[in-house]
Amino acid sequence: MNRNATHHIPDEIIEAYASGLLPHAFSVVVAAHVSLCDKCRATAEACEAVGGVALDHIDGEAPAQDLRARTLSMLDDLPDADQTHARLPRNLPITAPQPARRGIFPGAVAAELGDDGPRWKSLGAGIRQQILTSGPDGTVRLLYIPAGKAVPDHGHGGLEMTLVLQGSFSDHTGHFAKGDVQVVEDDLEHTPIADDGPACICLAATDAPLRFNAMIPRLLQRVFRI
Amino acid sequence: MTSDPTATEFSLPTQWLIAVRNRRDREAFGHLFDYFAPRLTAMMLRSGMSRAIADDVVQDVLLTAWTKAAQFDPARAQASTWIYRIARNRQIDILRRERRPVPDALDTGEEHTEQDAHQALALDQESAQLRAALAALSPDQRDVIEKAYLGDLTHTEIRQRTGLPLGTIKSRIRLGLERLRHELKEIR
Ligand SMILES: [Zn+2]
């Protein structure tokens, strides 16, 4: 696997991810890129070292008196595998462990897709998308762009991060291959075009609704939630 | 640890976690509990959890550390860093009520060589410098970092930069990753 992406995520966004402050939609892209990029993994782990030092520094608070005995007594019952959460106490809102990577999709993306995705919706001209999650803090989607096709020209009002999972695309800012992330802010107008070869599949997070300027009328924008 | 000549130079929590990883050492796990449970409790209470939930999360984090200890790689993380990651993931799962996206785990090499130990020791020293850098900050600056890394996520600046010098520790972790990749290639 190519672990030498040439377009990376800015350090301050990785730090926002590592500390926990980055909204969910962008966190999916960071986790997916870090799965493919050792340079950014090292940055994320270095940031977590800051978290570790902060944890060392914090003034402790006594846990429940019997917690130590209860915890040690549970060691015998634990499975060796990653099933800890399945046996956990009382009322925690438990989430199952994140699934493993599936094909071109890192675990963080597979988790959003569920078992049987992607379920593409056509945007016309052979271009497809599936919205993974959408909320007030941002939207993350998969895009499928056949070779030679352009993602319709759009401007945006905020931050956009696009990770290539298959194929590649180019625009006036550069060439983006598998594992690369394009980070675009504010009002940059750009027209990514999928390169020759297999269709380009991208994971794209935005914190403001994309406004397509051409090709797709406003009504359709609402239908497709672009 | 006796098989590893440099191991006693590690910070104590890292020594304990290595003992749990290598020997399922319960006494060492008890030390980890005594060191981390009060800190993790404080971290969870800071984010507004009730005491009962905080107790459950602390137990969950430490039991997860026990079951996943095989994944602990002291060439890339100190014990505090590794446990912080587990704790922050759980805390965010609970605060946001959705699973936090995390990077795919790396396969860890089976053998822990002497060169790994040197790399791990160097990382330990980088971490000590980071600790000193944090201690040297003004209370206000330190507060910003603690809020960002341990707090309740209400501060939602997309670009977060705490300004700590991370360059050397980053290169050190990168070396650990390269070494791991190399080992995995040789195993296959
Ligand atoms: Zn990267």
Side-chain angles (χ1 to χ4, degrees):
Chain A
M1 178 180 299
N2 170 30
R3 291 192 180 276
N4 300 302
T6 51
H7 298 278
H8 299 277
I9 295 176
D11 283 3
E12 57 269 34
I13 292 180
I14 295 179
E15 186 163 10
Y17 169 78
S19 65
L21 297 179
L22 195 67
H24 183 85
F26 293 100
S27 295
V28 175
V29 180
V30 174
H33 174 72
V34 166
S35 300
L36 303 170
C37 174
D38 282 352
K39 179 175 185 282
C40 291
R41 189 185 286 269
T43 303
E45 292 182 357
C47 293
E48 284 168 345
V50 177
V53 168
L55 182 62
D56 276 333
H57 260 271
I58 199 174
D59 292 328
E61 297 259 0
Q65 261 188 354
D66 63 342
L67 192 68
R68 188 184 204 274
R70 279 196 280 130
T71 304
L72 267 74
S73 75
M74 287 178 79
L75 296 184
D76 290 321
D77 301 333
L78 288 174
D80 278 340
D82 285 348
Q83 293 166 23
T84 323
H85 291 339
R87 299 178 167 238
L88 279 173
R90 288 193 282 189
N91 301 319
L92 287 186
I94 300 299
T95 45
Q98 181 175 285
R101 78 175 283 114
R102 178 155 64 79
I104 61 169
F105 303 115
V109 180
E112 305 287 325
L113 277 172
D115 292 332
D116 52 354
R119 293 182 179 167
W120 298 113
K121 281 190 178 172
S122 175
L123 293 180
I127 297 166
R128 307 177 210 163
Q129 75 161 350
Q130 179 184 350
I131 290 177
L132 299 176
T133 58
S134 185
D137 288 337
T139 298
V140 64
R141 77 191 73 219
L142 285 169
L143 287 166
Y144 176 102
I145 309 156
K149 299 288 184 198
V151 175
D153 186 31
H154 58 273
H156 17 85
L159 180 68
E160 178 192 324
M161 286 170 47
T162 306
L163 167 68
V164 179
L165 296 172
Q166 174 185 301
S168 61
F169 71 78
S170 303
D171 68 12
H172 75 275
T173 68
H175 174 69
F176 297 84
K178 180 174 169 155
D180 283 335
V181 183
Q182 184 178 43
V183 179
V184 169
E185 284 183 276
D186 299 328
D187 289 326
L188 178 75
E189 296 277 339
H190 65 130
T191 308
I193 294 178
D195 297 321
D196 286 345
C200 181
I201 296 180
C202 299
L203 177 72
T206 50
D207 65 353
L210 293 185
R211 300 184 308 274
F212 279 66
N213 294 336
M215 288 178 67
I216 300 185
R218 203 152 269 287
L219 180 65
L220 284 185
Q221 289 188 28
R222 220 173 296 142
V223 172
F224 292 127
R225 296 166 74 198
I226 281 182
Chain B
M1 277 179 286
T2 44
S3 61
D4 183 343
T6 55
T8 51
E9 298 170 52
F10 290 137
S11 68
L12 281 172
T14 297
Q15 289 183 43
W16 296 326
L17 190 50
I18 290 172
V20 165
R21 181 192 70 184
N22 292 356
R23 302 195 303 273
R24 313 308 279 155
D25 185 324
R26 283 167 191 247
E27 198 185 326
F29 181 80
H31 291 315
L32 283 175
F33 185 95
D34 293 337
Y35 182 83
F36 284 109
R39 288 174 168 82
L40 293 171
T41 302
M43 175 178 169
M44 297 306 152
L45 292 177
R46 269 182 182 226
S47 65
M49 286 180 191
S50 70
R51 283 221 161 240
I53 297 284
D55 282 342
D56 283 353
V57 176
V58 170
Q59 185 177 55
D60 180 359
V61 168
L62 289 165
L63 292 176
T64 302
W66 172 268
T67 50
K68 291 193 172 173
Q71 293 175 17
F72 175 60
D73 178 4
R76 281 163 47 220
Q78 286 202 300
S80 297
T81 303
W82 193 74
I83 290 197
Y84 167 77
R85 180 189 309 152
I86 295 172
R88 195 61 166 154
N89 285 344
R90 284 302 280 142
Q91 190 179 26
I92 291 172
D93 284 351
I94 289 163
L95 293 178
R96 292 217 172 118
R97 300 193 172 279
E98 60 190 345
R99 183 174 43 215
R100 184 188 194 192
V102 293
D104 294 338
L106 298 177
D107 296 332
T108 38
E110 290 294 304
E111 287 183 24
H112 305 287
T113 62
E114 185 154 335
Q115 209 170 345
D116 287 339
H118 288 306
Q119 155 75 18
L121 208 57
L123 181 71
D124 224 47
Q125 283 155 8
E126 299 295 350
S127 306
Q129 280 169 25
L130 196 59
R131 194 165 289 115
L134 189 70
L137 294 177
S138 73
D140 280 355
Q141 290 169 310
R142 201 155 54 226
D143 190 51
V144 167
I145 289 174
E146 288 178 357
K147 277 211 175 85
Y149 279 87
L150 307 170
D152 62 3
L153 315 178
T154 50
H155 172 79
T156 52
E157 217 14 70
I158 283 191
R159 289 176 176 274
Q160 175 70 25
R161 179 140 244 183
T162 52
L164 282 173
L166 293 179
T168 50
I169 196 162
K170 210 194 294 185
S171 333
R172 181 56 62 186
I173 293 168
R174 188 81 194 272
L175 284 177
L177 282 167
E178 277 166 14
R179 172 141 191 87
L180 180 62
R181 297 286 181 208
H182 185 69
E183 269 174 33
L184 292 173
K185 214 180 286 170
E186 288 188 343
I187 291 168
R188 286 199 187 105

